[in-house]
């Protein structure tokens, strides 16, 4: 059995840990998250044109069905020059962004940054003047911080999916010249440090085909669609 003196010493050490070491570790975590938030910063409106333009060659996961170059300026995709070879006709089609159109990844990046900032707010509410009374209180704070950081990570690793009807009516399909044919759809999204382009080629269903869904308008054979992912590394988080 521990003596009263040993218990007093243990309690003093634990109180010192709560008062000194915990705050030192939380300060280190705050500094890391501040830098992460800075990396996610979105340019001040009106100053986007001062950012450097960078070109990235599409890397295809399915041979040569898609080739092209994407031009990135900050978080905006200002130009897309895409050559697409369709399986149906085996012809190469060429598309570019219209001069008055560009695609922004602001939603994904901003959501991730908001979660990082919420984690920072949780930590700033427990600065060095705050005295933690129990280890459970520290664990509760860290659980809340980790929840926000997990949500930030998931926003980048699991992009919000768009259904084909949503994609068909989105502004993205109106950005290209010449206009894309009705049986081809494309989508851009951020996944970690990658900018991804997904190409869908749609096929009309046969009249006697049975499916488990009832889309409005023309029936599209979703299960037989040709879906190819094309990735170019952009290292979004590490950019200044």
């Amino acid at each position: 059995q521990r003596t009263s003196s040993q218990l007093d010493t243990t309690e003093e050490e634990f109180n010192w840990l709560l008062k000194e070491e915990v705050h030192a570790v939380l300060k280190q975590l705050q500094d890391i998250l501040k830098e992460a938030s800075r990396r996610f910063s979105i340019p001040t409106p009106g100053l986007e044109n001062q950012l450097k333009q960078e070109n990235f060659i599409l890397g295809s996961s399915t041979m040569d069905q898609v080739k092209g170059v994407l031009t990135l300026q900050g978080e905006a995709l200002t130009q897309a020059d895409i050559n697409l070879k369709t399986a149906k006709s085996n012809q190469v089609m060429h598309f570019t962004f219209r001069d008055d159109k560009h695609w922004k990844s602001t939603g994904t990046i901003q959501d991730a940054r908001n979660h990082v900032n919420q984690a920072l707010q949780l930590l700033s509410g427990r600065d060095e003047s705050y005295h933690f009374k129990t280890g459970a209180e520290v664990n509760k704070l860290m659980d809340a911080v980790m929840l926000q950081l997990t949500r930030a990570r998931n926003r980048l690793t699991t992009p919000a999916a768009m259904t084909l009807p949503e994609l068909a009516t989105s502004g993205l399909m109106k950005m290209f010249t010449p206009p894309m044919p009705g049986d081809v759809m494309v989508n851009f999204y951020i996944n970690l440090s990658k900018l991804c382009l997904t190409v869908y080629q749609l096929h009309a269903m046969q009249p006697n085909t049975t499916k488990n869904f009832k889309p409005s308008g023309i029936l599209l054979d979703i299960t037989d669609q040709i879906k190819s992912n094309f990735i170019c590394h952009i290292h979004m988080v590490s950019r200044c």
Side-chain angles (χ1 to χ4, degrees), residues 64-192:
D64 296 326
Q65 284 187 300
V66 168
K67 292 182 179 181
V69 177
L70 304 181
T71 301
L72 197 67
Q73 188 172 25
E75 85 285 358
L77 189 62
T78 57
Q79 186 53 264
D81 191 301
I82 301 172
N83 291 317
L84 172 64
K85 181 187 292 185
T86 62
K88 184 184 299 183
S89 64
N90 204 34
Q91 293 180 341
V92 177
M93 298 183 291
H94 179 247
F95 305 97
T96 60
F97 273 178
R98 289 167 41 186
D99 292 338
D100 60 336
K101 298 292 183 181
H102 61 265
W103 177 85
K104 281 195 172 184
S105 59
T106 307
T108 299
I109 297 174
Q110 185 65 59
D111 288 348
R113 181 174 184 249
N114 288 342
H115 287 303
V116 171
N117 286 342
Q118 288 177 26
L120 272 171
Q121 290 178 3
L122 291 169
L123 293 174
S124 63
R126 297 292 185 267
D127 58 19
E128 294 182 357
S129 64
Y130 184 84
H131 176 61
F132 289 99
K133 299 178 178 61
T134 64
E137 188 179 4
V138 178
N139 288 337
K140 183 178 180 180
L141 171 62
M142 291 310 302
D143 286 344
V145 170
M146 289 306 300
L147 176 62
Q148 293 302 325
L149 296 183
T150 298
R151 288 174 175 173
R153 181 190 63 188
N154 290 345
R155 191 66 181 91
L156 296 173
T157 59
T158 312
M162 293 182 67
T163 65
L164 290 181
E166 290 172 342
L167 191 57
T169 57
S170 70
L172 180 59
M173 298 307 300
K174 301 176 183 177
M175 291 184 180
F176 292 92
T177 180
M180 287 198 169
D183 61 347
V184 175
M185 297 183 190
V186 299
N187 190 24
F188 294 101
Y189 61 91
I190 298 293
N191 187 305
L192 290 176

Side-chain angles (χ1 to χ4, degrees), residues 13-69:
E13 290 175 348
F14 183 68
N15 288 333
W16 175 85
L17 183 68
L18 289 178
K19 183 178 180 181
E20 303 294 339
E21 283 298 301
V22 169
H23 283 295
V25 173
L26 294 183
K27 178 62 167 58
Q28 292 179 356
L29 180 56
Q30 268 190 298
D31 291 340
I32 293 172
L33 295 184
K34 285 178 181 178
E35 177 62 15
S37 179
R38 186 186 71 81
R39 298 292 183 96
F40 279 119
S41 293
I42 295 175
T44 303
L47 300 180
E48 295 91 341
N49 292 334
Q50 298 181 13
L51 296 173
K52 178 183 177 182
Q53 286 191 342
E54 299 177 81
N55 294 327
F56 298 92
I57 299 175
L58 288 170
S60 173
S61 61
T62 55
M63 302 299 288
D64 296 326
Q65 284 187 300
V66 168
K67 292 182 179 181
V69 177

Side-chain angles (χ1 to χ4, degrees), residues 225-240:
Q225 67 185 326
I226 300 175
K227 177 181 178 183
S228 305
N229 292 306
F230 307 93
I231 298 172
C232 63
H233 292 266
I234 62 174
H235 302 291
M236 181 70 70
V237 176
S238 64
R239 287 168 50 81
C240 297

